[in-house]
Amino acid sequence: PAVLKARVTRSDGSPVLLEPYLRMLGHAAVMRDDGTVFAHLHPAGSLSMASARVFATKLGGEAGARAADANCGDLEAIPPTMAAELGRSGEVGFPWVFPQPGRYFVWVQVRTGGRIRTAPFEVTVGRSTDITTN
């Protein structure tokens, strides 16, 4: 298990404000170099937001659905001031469990200054918990 973290900074090292992008602080994609693994990740995990909302609606009506949206990382489901505060650090993380050792490619997308920014990373996962990035 790991949390893949990306931090967006200015040249002086200060954080860049992350803005909501598709209602979240960011999105990521992970692919193993041989194509056997591919996943789209969200900051709150890779569960199905639609499924979570359906079950929450059955249990708690519209209030339950809004709570599920917030728990899934939907920034439109929380107060705007809270959403803005979450983006101030310039950092976003994605929980993920690498299913097997190998070389992976990770793409992270965030929105800053009204523009979508994409950053590619290469991650090597060994047999232990050692992970290296390039």
Side-chain angles (χ1 to χ4, degrees), residues 58-106:
K58 287 181 180 181
L59 293 173
E62 186 56 32
R66 283 193 307 274
D69 290 345
N71 285 333
C72 288
D74 185 342
L75 296 177
E76 291 184 12
I78 62 175
T81 53
M82 186 183 293
E85 188 61 33
L86 290 172
R88 289 195 198 292
S89 69
E91 184 174 288
V92 61
F94 304 92
W96 173 248
V97 176
F98 289 96
Q100 57 194 26
R103 188 170 67 147
Y104 291 82
F105 301 106
V106 179

